[in-house]
Amino acid sequence: MGRADTVNHRDHYPPIARSALPDDTVALARFLIGKLVVRDLPEGMVSGRIVETEAYVVGDAAGHGFRGMTPRNRPLFLERGHAYVYLAYGVSMMLNVSSEMPGIGTGVLIRALEPLEGIEIMQRNRGVERLRDLARGPGRLAAALRIDRSLDGIDLCQEGPLWLAKDGQDPGEIGQSTRIGITRDADRLLRFYVRGSPFVSGPRSLQE
């Protein structure tokens, strides 16, 4: 994909204004379903539609901001719409969006994308070809879009290496369930997903 295509892509998918983002974590997790993550890479643009999110709210024992701000989790305490990127279990990067007013320390985990553009780039980044598996799960998503700690703290509401966008498409019916892979506050219904999407991660029992 050439740089002329990059210009067209930017024009087509302008960043979501911060004022359009709900300032409540649960509302933002639902709002982001159907929106786009756009990644600018040297070899071209990559984008995907968000089909699954998890909210990590105020007082949430599973949230990284639960015990207060540290150098590692500082982006969670920024105004809503900033990236918080961390390494989980020493293996996979995770992309989160800060979700409330400055100083609050809450966020939304982007769990899965439906690949839209730059699919060949995603396939090379992941080392797999099957479309369904490219960004189904937060670690796969980050690998497919080559998201790393260099993006930690960036503003997702402005053009840059990574941003949030929308194209006006209705995401369809949104389901709600408990979150995946946590042990604290595990019974809270803070996961949102597109019902029937093959790109949603997790067990089938959580996709009803």
Side-chain angles (χ1 to χ4, degrees), residues 16-23 79-80 157:
I16 298 175
R18 198 178 328 280
S19 59
L21 300 178
D23 60 4
E79 188 175 13
R80 67 192 185 280
C157 295

Side-chain angles (χ1 to χ4, degrees), residues 36-42 46-48 50 83-88 91-97 109-113 121-122 125-126 134-135 137-154 156 161-164:
L36 309 181
V37 177
V38 185
R39 177 78 164 106
D40 186 0
L41 291 169
V46 175
S47 68
I50 299 170
Y84 170 49
V85 180
Y86 68 89
L87 183 65
V91 176
S92 301
M93 292 292 173
M94 303 282 167
L95 173 62
N96 301 260
V97 181
L109 173 64
I110 309 300
R111 280 202 56 92
L113 298 177
I121 298 173
M122 290 191 199
N125 289 341
R126 287 271 293 111
L134 289 180
R140 291 175 175 179
L141 180 165
L145 273 61
R146 213 181 302 156
I147 291 170
D148 58 26
R149 291 276 296 164
S150 70
L151 300 171
D152 190 40
I154 70 163
L156 298 172
L162 183 72
W163 72 91
L164 296 169

Side-chain angles (χ1 to χ4, degrees), residues 29 32-33 37 49-56 86 88-89 93-97 108-114 132-142 177-182 190-193 199-203 206-207:
L32 288 174
I33 297 294
V37 177
R49 189 177 309 283
I50 299 170
V51 296
E52 183 182 0
T53 62
E54 286 180 346
Y56 290 84
Y86 68 89
Y89 309 114
M93 292 292 173
M94 303 282 167
L95 173 62
N96 301 260
V97 181
V108 175
L109 173 64
I110 309 300
R111 280 202 56 92
L113 298 177
E114 175 186 349
R132 180 173 181 259
D133 290 335
L134 289 180
R136 183 171 55 89
R140 291 175 175 179
L141 180 165
S177 80
T178 56
R179 294 172 294 186
I180 295 172
I182 61 172
L190 295 175
R191 172 177 170 266
F192 299 91
Y193 61 95
F199 302 99
V200 170
S201 70
L206 292 182
Q207 297 182 36

